[in-house]
Amino acid sequence: DQQVKQNSPSLSVQEGRISILNCDYTNSMFDYFLWYKKYPAEGPTFLISISSIKDKNEDGRFTVFLNKSAKHLSLHIVPSQPGDSAVYFCAASRNQGGKLIFGQGTELSVKP
Amino acid sequence: KAGVTQTPRYLIKTRGQQVTLSCSPISGHRSVSWYQQTPGQGLQFLFEYFSETQRNKGNFPGRFSGRQFSNSRSEMNVSTLELGDSALYLCASSALTSGGRTDTQYFGPGTRLTVL
């Protein structure tokens, strides 16, 4: 039972344009969502998070949007840079607990 | 502040052996969670420890176990290794919010375990 889904395995974007990564979840009890960036053979690097009491959170070039009614969140990266090329994972938790449920990841490629 | 450290970084074992992996959390973090990453199953939660007690557990067999020490360092152990246990094992540490909830988890570099 995949409670967190990233339906796009890959995404290719031109440098300077916007990258939009999507994530859907099925468990309405999730109340805390995070995005991580990961390179092969390394641990995930935290990017940005959002609590279910909000619908938007920004940090520099990264913005996360949460649509609770649709059980959907997205990560916007503007402008995209070649160094953003990596696999991006969304993750969710209940009661902001220590158990994160991860999506399968989306590989972002930003071309110069 | 130093990040999460994991030792060893790489490990090769044979089927039937057991292995112990170590994780040192960020200073001041008292929650440690462990995850397994494989190509087929993605990132899956193993367990979480807080104040030397297991708080959460994922759907893994009893061959997977862990513990946490009074200094918040944590170890996980896998007994009777199987080929399917080959994976990247990740440790994450977090502080607690003022409300007692787990804050953002920060990950270590992982231990790459290969079972032959």
Side-chain angles (χ1 to χ4, degrees):
Chain A
D1 176 25
Q2 191 74 27
Q3 297 186 68
V4 178
K5 297 180 184 179
Q6 294 176 256
N7 292 317
S8 298
S10 62
L11 175 67
S12 184
V13 171
Q14 207 65 32
E15 180 180 7
R17 305 297 290 268
I18 183 171
S19 294
I20 300 176
L21 297 104
N22 294 302
C23 179
D24 297 296
Y25 61 96
T26 57
N27 191 336
S28 58
M29 299 299 289
F30 288 145
D31 60 0
Y32 191 57
F33 303 89
L34 309 92
W35 284 94
Y36 287 87
K37 172 182 176 181
K38 188 179 185 302
Y39 297 110
E42 292 184 12
T45 300
F46 170 72
L47 286 174
I48 193 167
S49 62
I50 188 167
S51 163
S52 61
I53 62 173
K54 296 184 175 181
D55 54 19
K56 179 182 174 181
N57 189 26
E58 284 181 86
D59 185 0
R61 295 187 298 116
F62 302 94
T63 302
V64 56
F65 295 92
L66 175 62
N67 182 333
K68 288 188 290 296
S69 61
K71 295 191 180 66
H72 177 83
L73 66 153
S74 61
L75 174 68
H76 292 208
I77 307 173
V78 185
S80 301
Q81 301 171 353
D84 295 330
S85 297
V87 178
Y88 288 76
F89 289 93
C90 67
S93 70
R94 287 180 57 177
N95 297 322
Q96 206 163 324
K99 176 179 179 178
L100 291 178
I101 307 298
F102 282 87
Q104 292 295 93
T106 296
E107 183 172 12
L108 173 65
S109 175
V110 180
K111 301 191 182 304
Chain B
K1 206 180 240 188
V4 178
T5 57
Q6 292 187 245
T7 56
R9 291 293 312 278
Y10 302 92
L11 207 48
I12 299 175
K13 293 285 188 178
T14 56
R15 280 181 299 174
Q17 287 187 308
Q18 75 164 19
V19 66
T20 299
L21 312 181
S22 181
C23 172
S24 291
I26 292 170
S27 178
H29 286 189
R30 293 167 60 193
S31 171
V32 174
S33 296
W34 288 88
Y35 296 83
Q36 180 197 65
Q37 184 184 26
T38 58
Q41 299 298 318
L43 276 156
Q44 292 190 292
F45 173 78
L46 280 156
F47 28 66
E48 181 207 4
Y49 285 88
F50 176 76
S51 290
E52 303 176 65
T53 301
Q54 189 179 90
R55 283 210 305 187
N56 279 293
K57 188 176 188 308
N59 296 324
F60 279 81
R63 300 185 297 106
F64 292 82
S65 63
R67 60 178 176 168
Q68 187 181 35
F69 302 94
S70 58
N71 61 358
S72 295
R73 190 176 70 84
S74 177
E75 289 180 348
M76 67 163 283
N77 183 278
V78 187
S79 62
T80 320
L81 284 166
E82 301 177 358
L83 295 179
D85 297 334
S86 294
L88 181 66
Y89 289 89
L90 293 157
C91 162
S93 78
S94 56
L96 292 189
T97 66
S98 56
R101 295 184 171 188
T102 303
D103 208 341
T104 301
Q105 292 187 28
Y106 295 92
F107 284 81
T111 295
R112 169 67 66 184
L113 172 65
T114 302
V115 182
L116 302 176

